[in-house]
Amino acid sequence: MDLHSPYTTEEAIAIEKEFTRVKEKCYLDHAGTTLYAESQIQAACEKLAQNLYCNPHTSRTTGDLLDQVRYRVLRHFNTRSSEYSLIFTSGTTASLKIVAECYDFDPEGAFVYLKDSHTSVLGMREIVGTERIYPIERKQLLKQIEFDGRSSNERSSLVVFPAQCNFNGVKYPLELIQKIQTDGIEGYGKEQFRVCLDAASFVSTSFLDLSKYQPDFVFLSFYKVFGYPTGLGALLVHRSATNLLNKKYYGGGTVKIAMSGRNFHVKRDSLAERFEDGTIAFTSIIALLQGFETLERLVPSSAGLRSIERISQQTFHLGRYCFQRLKALRHSNGTEVVRLYHDSEFSDRRLQGGIVNFNILHEDGTFVGFAEVSYMASIHNIVLRTGCFCNPGACQRLLELTDDDILKQFDAGHVCGDANDLIDGQPTGSVRVSFGYMTRKEDIDRLIEMIEKCYIRKSLANGLTRAQIVSNYKTHDQPRLKMICLFPIKSCGAFKVTTRWPLSHKGLKHDREFVIVDENGVAVTQKKLTEMCLIRPRIDLNNNEMILSHPSMDDFVLDLTSLSDVDDTQQVKLCQTKVCQDNIQAIDCGDEVADWISVALQTSGLRLLKQSDEEVRTFQKSEKEISLSNQAQFLLINQTSVRWLAEKVPDWDELHEEPALESLVDRFRGNLIVETSNAMEECDWKRVTIGAMEFGVDGPCSRCQMICIDQGSGIKTTEPLRTIAREFKGKMRFGVYLSHVGMLRDGSDEQWLYCNSTVQGLVA
């Protein structure tokens, strides 16, 4: 399979130089947002640094510049201000909301929307000014090309559909616009329909010629086109539809006069002035000029094709190459590796954009969950998108799910955006890759290599039930607590204890008490910096110190006594960060340790924070107080289960040899390492006693790509996550969460855990 690029060699080199920050990443989520060029940002910053841009309500100069931007946007779509008014908004969603709120329906007018529409279109149903609301199927919409009905002006109705589906990139014939405006929609009498075109996905890589196709309303977001600025979009309104928007609310700058003592105001004349409430994002709008300049410089017009048309060629060819390579993949038994969700075969770029949507299949035809694919992609530094992409209609149609299936998945706990990817073997979403003008053939090859490596096996694998696992793998020792592990700094190495360790009201004393944050105050984990595992903290209880070790650094000793909340005798710096969606108040541990960590991880601007003593976090399920751990107070890992799992891993090709058992146990980052008689028996426990201590089971631990990081070296592997997903049919769970039963009191002599204590799991 060959890929013909429309770029010259010089153009390809110039484009690649613009995206050096991508480094080893393979970015394949351009339908989510495309990437901004480095020179584009530099030029925008230079303009801000060299010019004084006043509020456009103050400065006529700024206002004139904004008018220039409007002209430039309209020119990009081959139209002018006499045909279309341009209203700047915060994005496509805001533009849709304006029309939904303000469109003046005639009595008995209808609102019709394509079922395969973005969630933001579905939201219009809640506020449109009519009760006649109807979904339309894709097939029915396409039939309108042949419909000959001749509408009248009896009623003014509204239809919404996308120019390109954001789920799988299929394009809708733009000839539908005039056809519907002229002939209406079959089954709706002689109603006159105004056409709303959701162009957000389409215009990111395709040319929308508004001199040829003239929808009444066009919705778009600029970050889809340029990557920057975000939070900026537009609503384009055709001159014939200007009087159909009846706006009630008015904000600053949109009226000629407003009286405070009397309910009297007069709106401004132009549509943009009436609808752009308050001060618009004028510096972001000005930055659009650098976006247009960058695109046209990197991909100039050539051979009669505009810049955006050449980009359309490139992304279509990339999509077809990816589609064909995925379609050709086969397992050793001849079955397909990938289930593609498409309405075209990539035969014509007028019918298909640069988006490929799919799920991966096991050898037996069962689905691989999209969450697992996302984790594997992350390990291989591939950025892609999973889920239903805010298009529930297309997702339901292409995955062949009934309404009952959707409700069943919701009742089972699946919600939009979660990782609950398989329910009773059925996928709740899929995998999407999408391409921009800077995407390379090598990026697609990396995706294919990842799929081949992770999912195409030389021999068939047989999943086992838990009962089979227990019966096939047993030890005969008395179940015991083998080791206690605490992680004083979240996502750094373990401090292993083989004697005893005290408990606190949050779990193990000093466990996940600290967190490293970047220069923006965002918590850093091994998912971003795998080398964090090489920082190994130790706690000296007698001297109340934490000693930090790293293979290439001298040890650093941090005095824990000084790290308490503000009192009358000391000054400490209180900060805030976010851990697992919780806002955390914390204490900055100072410049010296920050410098040590930054050097150790070769990343500037890192800081070490300690959870404030006053900070209270609770695990919702148990309502127990926790430290900076992801969920519960303790994570229990059964060494017998790890040994069983190790035997199921087919190869460790990244490490060139099978890791030792202790090394594999370390990957699961458990607090309580036990060894029981039967593999996986911990999955059935409801309560656990360890020595004299009693714990409740809070549920299984869902695993992510963290377990694919070798804790001794920081090397990423595809195992053991791949084997866990395969053996448990997509359920990526290993280990169980525990919470202490009863109250824990800090400093109590009775509240210690002892290694070698007997372990008893209770199933009822």
Side-chain angles (χ1 to χ4, degrees):
M1 283 170 254
D2 195 15
L3 173 64
H4 172 71
S5 173
Y7 299 159
T8 66
T9 302
E10 293 76 15
E11 288 170 346
I13 292 172
I15 290 170
E16 189 163 351
K17 288 180 179 178
E18 290 282 354
F19 301 95
T20 57
R21 69 183 184 280
V22 178
K23 298 178 181 177
E24 76 283 358
K25 293 283 187 183
C26 172
Y27 187 82
L28 297 175
D29 186 29
H30 293 272
T33 180
T34 196
L35 300 175
Y36 51 79
E38 291 168 18
S39 63
Q40 173 191 349
I41 299 302
Q42 291 166 358
C45 291
E46 286 175 7
K47 290 291 184 182
L48 289 172
Q50 295 170 3
N51 293 277
L52 175 63
Y53 296 125
C54 301
N55 189 307
H57 295 161
T58 302
S59 168
R60 184 63 257 171
T61 300
T62 304
D64 289 344
L65 184 54
L66 295 181
D67 288 340
Q68 281 295 106
V69 180
R70 292 182 205 274
Y71 166 78
R72 185 64 192 82
V73 173
L74 292 173
R75 194 181 82 188
H76 181 74
F77 298 116
N78 200 25
T79 189
R80 54 189 185 273
S81 58
S82 59
E83 292 295 315
Y84 278 92
S85 296
L86 189 155
I87 301 167
F88 284 113
T89 68
S90 63
T92 299
T93 297
S95 300
L96 289 162
K97 188 168 181 281
I98 286 174
V99 173
E101 289 177 330
C102 301
Y103 186 78
D104 192 8
F105 283 89
D106 282 345
E108 301 302 315
F111 174 68
V112 178
Y113 64 93
L114 181 69
K115 287 181 71 174
D116 291 13
S117 288
H118 195 279
T119 303
S120 298
V121 171
L122 306 187
M124 297 175 75
R125 300 177 300 190
E126 305 302 311
I127 56 174
V128 290
T130 180
E131 294 182 359
R132 297 183 65 228
I133 301 172
Y134 307 103
I136 187 172
E137 299 282 353
R138 167 180 161 79
K139 289 182 179 179
Q140 185 182 358
L141 179 66
L142 294 176
K143 281 174 58 180
Q144 304 313 307
I145 288 288
E146 287 133 24
F147 177 59
D148 186 10
R150 295 294 166 193
S151 65
S152 69
N153 292 320
E154 293 175 6
R155 301 172 183 167
S156 181
S157 296
L158 202 62
V159 62
V160 187
F161 62 89
Q164 175 176 294
C165 177
N166 74 310
F167 187 90
N168 68 358
V170 67
K171 294 179 179 179
Y172 287 83
L174 296 181
E175 291 80 6
L176 278 169
I177 296 167
Q178 184 177 355
K179 189 69 175 174
I180 291 174
Q181 289 169 334
T182 303
D183 293 343
I185 299 176
E186 185 177 7
Y188 291 87
K190 294 191 175 294
E191 294 182 40
Q192 181 187 31
F193 276 91
R194 298 287 182 163
V195 175
C196 297
L197 188 70
D198 178 359
S201 180
F202 183 88
V203 300
S204 62
T205 57
S206 297
F207 174 45
L208 177 60
D209 187 350
L210 291 181
S211 69
K212 184 176 182 181
Y213 307 105
Q214 297 189 330
D216 299 280
F217 306 99
V218 182
F219 316 95
L220 58 98
S221 296
F222 290 108
Y223 72 94
K224 304 275 190 181
V225 183
F226 306 121
Y228 177 87
T230 56
L232 182 65
L235 166 62
L236 277 62
V237 182
H238 191 265
R239 55 181 171 78
S240 65
T242 298
N243 295 328
L244 295 176
L245 296 180
N246 182 18
K247 181 170 176 279
K248 294 183 178 180
Y249 175 83
Y250 60 90
T254 62
V255 292
K256 296 179 179 179
I257 181 175
M259 299 180 65
S260 61
R262 294 175 57 185
N263 189 7
F264 177 79
H265 73 279
V266 178
K267 293 186 175 71
R268 292 190 179 273
D269 296 325
S270 79
L271 198 67
E273 287 180 315
R274 295 204 304 270
F275 276 80
E276 292 173 351
D277 294 306
T279 299
I280 56 179
F282 58 93
T283 55
S284 293
I285 293 170
I286 293 168
L288 292 177
L289 293 174
Q290 285 74 55
F292 284 115
E293 187 277 331
T294 301
L295 271 192
E296 293 176 353
R297 173 171 48 83
L298 293 176
V299 189
S301 299
S302 176
L305 292 178
R306 296 167 179 257
S307 170
I308 190 66
E309 291 176 296
R310 296 186 65 211
I311 290 170
S312 179
Q313 281 185 331
Q314 170 74 353
T315 53
F316 172 75
H317 289 319
L318 289 164
R320 180 167 61 186
Y321 176 72
C322 181
F323 179 87
Q324 291 174 344
R325 288 214 61 189
L326 288 171
K327 190 175 182 179
L329 293 176
R330 289 294 182 271
H331 285 293
S332 58
N333 62 359
T335 59
E336 61 182 6
V337 176
V338 168
R339 177 75 52 82
L340 289 154
Y341 300 116
H342 277 270
D343 297 296
S344 88
E345 291 288 320
F346 279 84
S347 59
D348 189 337
R349 72 180 174 95
R350 293 172 299 178
L351 304 177
Q352 178 66 50
I355 297 175
V356 179
N357 197 298
F358 61 95
N359 269 318
I360 295 176
L361 302 172
H362 292 293
E363 306 97 326
D364 61 0
T366 58
F367 286 95
V368 175
F370 63 72
E372 179 191 343
V373 178
S374 177
Y375 295 149
M376 289 295 118
S378 178
I379 292 167
H380 289 82
N381 289 317
I382 298 172
V383 179
L384 45 72
R385 185 81 173 268
T386 60
C388 79
F389 324 108
C390 296
N391 195 326
C395 183
Q396 180 177 350
R397 177 176 66 85
L398 290 158
L399 270 63
E400 299 180 350
L401 300 172
T402 66
D403 287 348
D404 288 341
D405 290 333
I406 298 296
L407 293 173
K408 178 182 176 182
Q409 291 175 350
F410 178 71
D411 290 340
H414 170 60
V415 296
C416 292
D418 69 8
N420 200 349
D421 52 8
L422 293 173
I423 294 177
D424 293 338
Q426 281 189 317
T428 62
S430 58
V431 181
R432 185 185 73 184
V433 292
S434 49
F435 315 111
Y437 73 87
M438 68 294 292
T439 307
R440 306 165 303 166
K441 171 181 176 290
E442 293 81 2
D443 296 324
I444 297 170
D445 291 338
R446 279 182 61 181
L447 171 72
I448 303 301
E449 288 168 9
M450 183 271 287
I451 294 173
E452 290 176 332
K453 177 181 178 182
C454 294
Y455 297 107
I456 300 180
R457 297 169 53 78
K458 295 178 181 179
S459 59
L460 301 182
N462 297 312
L464 297 177
T465 66
R466 188 179 303 159
Q468 289 171 318
I469 294 169
V470 171
S471 63
N472 289 350
Y473 198 95
K474 289 188 177 184
T475 66
H476 300 286
D477 295 333
Q478 174 70 32
R480 293 190 181 279
L481 176 64
K482 305 294 288 186
M483 184 184 297
I484 298 169
C485 296
L486 56 146
F487 303 84
I489 303 177
K490 184 176 179 65
S491 219
C492 285
F495 174 40
K496 299 179 180 180
V497 178
T498 56
T499 53
R500 67 172 191 164
W501 195 258
L503 303 180
S504 76
H505 62 291
K506 299 177 183 179
L508 293 173
K509 187 175 179 64
H510 296 302
D511 182 48
R512 293 173 172 89
E513 195 171 41
F514 297 82
V515 62
I516 296 173
V517 299
D518 64 17
E519 58 189 355
N520 298 313
V522 177
V524 181
T525 71
Q526 287 186 34
K527 293 178 184 178
K528 182 177 181 180
L529 293 175
T530 60
E531 300 86 354
M532 290 178 69
C533 65
L534 301 180
I535 294 180
R536 298 186 175 93
R538 308 190 308 275
I539 300 293
D540 184 337
L541 291 174
N542 293 327
N543 295 315
N544 201 24
E545 294 174 340
M546 180 168 68
I547 303 96
L548 304 183
S549 298
H550 186 277
S552 63
M553 304 280 291
D554 292 333
D555 287 358
F556 185 94
V557 179
L558 183 66
D559 181 11
L560 301 182
T561 306
S562 62
L563 297 176
S564 58
D565 291 349
V566 177
D567 58 31
D568 295 334
T569 63
Q570 61 183 13
Q571 293 289 322
V572 297
K573 182 180 178 182
L574 291 176
C575 308
Q576 201 174 69
T577 189
K578 201 168 186 179
V579 174
C580 299
Q581 306 305 312
D582 293 332
N583 290 313
I584 301 298
Q585 182 168 293
I587 301 165
D588 191 296
C589 297
D591 294 338
E592 289 187 38
V593 68
D595 292 342
W596 188 93
I597 289 173
S598 296
V599 172
L601 297 178
Q602 299 182 354
T603 304
S604 62
L606 299 179
R607 308 293 298 184
L608 181 66
L609 306 184
K610 174 184 176 293
Q611 185 181 17
S612 168
D613 295 335
E614 303 301 317
E615 181 68 39
V616 177
R617 288 184 73 221
T618 56
F619 177 43
Q620 187 174 7
K621 187 170 182 178
S622 67
E623 298 184 349
K624 295 287 187 179
E625 190 171 349
I626 58 175
S627 58
L628 301 181
S629 57
N630 287 0
Q631 294 195 38
Q633 293 178 333
F634 308 91
L635 174 59
L636 180 145
I637 296 295
N638 185 357
Q639 193 166 275
T640 307
S641 300
V642 176
R643 187 180 293 112
W644 167 83
L645 179 66
E647 294 184 355
K648 294 295 179 182
V649 175
D651 62 77
W652 295 86
D653 48 358
E654 297 93 340
L655 297 178
H656 305 293
E657 61 180 7
E658 183 176 339
L661 179 63
E662 183 177 351
S663 173
L664 188 52
V665 170
D666 289 346
R667 290 170 175 248
F668 293 97
R669 299 178 63 80
N671 297 118
L672 309 176
I673 312 303
V674 304
E675 188 164 38
T676 69
S677 300
N678 301 315
M680 305 308 298
E681 66 175 280
E682 67 274 14
C683 299
D684 296 320
W685 293 348
K686 304 301 181 187
R687 284 183 175 248
V688 183
T689 59
I690 302 176
M693 296 290 180
E694 185 177 358
F695 303 86
V697 176
D698 295 324
C701 176
S702 296
R703 309 314 309 211
C704 67
Q705 64 266 36
M706 281 277 286
I707 64 172
C708 294
I709 301 171
D710 179 73
Q711 295 297 298
S713 64
I715 295 174
K716 288 182 179 180
T717 64
T718 57
E719 294 291 2
L721 186 65
R722 184 172 50 173
T723 296
I724 290 174
R726 184 184 70 246
E727 295 297 333
F728 299 110
K729 300 300 182 185
K731 299 298 183 183
M732 292 176 288
R733 297 170 177 172
F734 201 88
V736 292
Y737 286 120
L738 307 180
S739 293
H740 189 268
V741 176
M743 294 294 293
L744 287 169
R745 301 181 303 280
D746 293 0
S748 170
D749 291 337
E750 296 84 26
Q751 296 190 131
W752 289 69
L753 272 178
Y754 292 83
C755 291
N756 209 38
S757 296
T758 58
V759 175
Q760 183 178 7
L762 305 174
V763 296

